Amino acid sequence: MNELKEIIEDISKTMSEFSDLLEKRNAELERRAKFDEELSNQIQDLLDRHK
């Protein structure tokens, strides 16, 4: 029974760590998307100025 409890605790810890990694990855993807959008807007502004 003790071994089962340890396995469940390990799984819980692993899931928590995985969740933390997913949150960090999502934050990075959001940061990149914002950067890409800002860069796209700047490029579009430059193109509009040189028409």
Side-chain angles (χ1 to χ4, degrees), residues 20-34:
D20 290 344
L21 288 173
L22 284 177
E23 286 179 23
K24 289 177 185 176
R25 182 175 184 272
N26 285 341
E28 177 64 18
L29 289 173
E30 288 175 13
R31 186 191 68 77
R32 289 182 185 185
K34 184 177 179 183

Side-chain angles (χ1 to χ4, degrees), residues 1-11:
M1 193 66 178
N2 197 25
E3 185 177 337
L4 181 57
K5 182 180 176 186
E6 288 178 17
I7 291 170
I8 292 171
E9 287 172 354
D10 286 348
I11 291 171

